[in-house]
Amino acid sequence: WDVHAFSSTNVWVSAVSSGVGQPAWLVHFNGQAWTRIKVPFTLESNAFASDGRGGLWLTGRSFAGRSIIIHRSPAGAFSSVSIPAALADLALIRGTTSLWAAGSRATNTGSNAVIWAHGPV
């Protein structure tokens, strides 16, 4: 689905298993070898961002169908935060641990643009 190269020794690729409700995969290149990592959520737009501490942020969807932001810690632990919007992209504000996201949220008359922020601004 997507590739994000933070450096020549820190490259991430996302992949989705076929079938509804199936987990996704991340593949990581450390400069010497590739490692496959099972994600306990479904990836959505596959937007990637660094967390500023050696971990990753990704957009996804829970198996219940809720839009989520997924965090993978530097130690490899996954967690998620539910978001009432469909997110299309993520960005870490350089020099901080603040994450910003852009997307849309359905309304009775269509949809509205959404900007979501996490962390100190």
Side-chain angles (χ1 to χ4, degrees):
W1 281 79
D2 201 7
V3 176
H4 193 97
F6 293 105
S7 71
S8 62
T9 59
N10 188 15
V11 179
W12 291 89
V13 177
S14 62
V16 177
S17 300
S18 59
V20 175
Q22 295 297 312
W25 295 90
L26 293 175
V27 183
H28 181 247
F29 182 68
N30 65 7
Q32 297 181 358
W34 290 94
T35 305
R36 191 170 78 155
I37 302 159
K38 187 176 181 179
V39 179
F41 307 99
T42 298
L43 295 178
E44 194 162 66
S45 67
N46 298 301
F48 282 89
S50 167
D51 71 354
R53 296 182 176 143
L56 288 175
W57 291 103
L58 307 135
T59 57
R61 191 163 286 281
S62 70
F63 291 130
R66 292 186 311 260
S67 290
I68 56 175
I69 298 279
I70 301 165
H71 182 250
R72 183 177 187 275
S73 74
F78 284 95
S79 60
S80 69
V81 176
S82 290
I83 304 295
L87 299 177
D89 207 359
L90 302 173
L92 178 73
I93 298 175
R94 190 176 300 210
T96 75
T97 56
S98 295
L99 179 73
W100 286 57
S104 64
R105 183 174 182 174
T107 67
N108 292 339
T109 58
S111 64
N112 287 332
V114 173
I115 298 174
W116 180 81
H118 175 74
V121 219

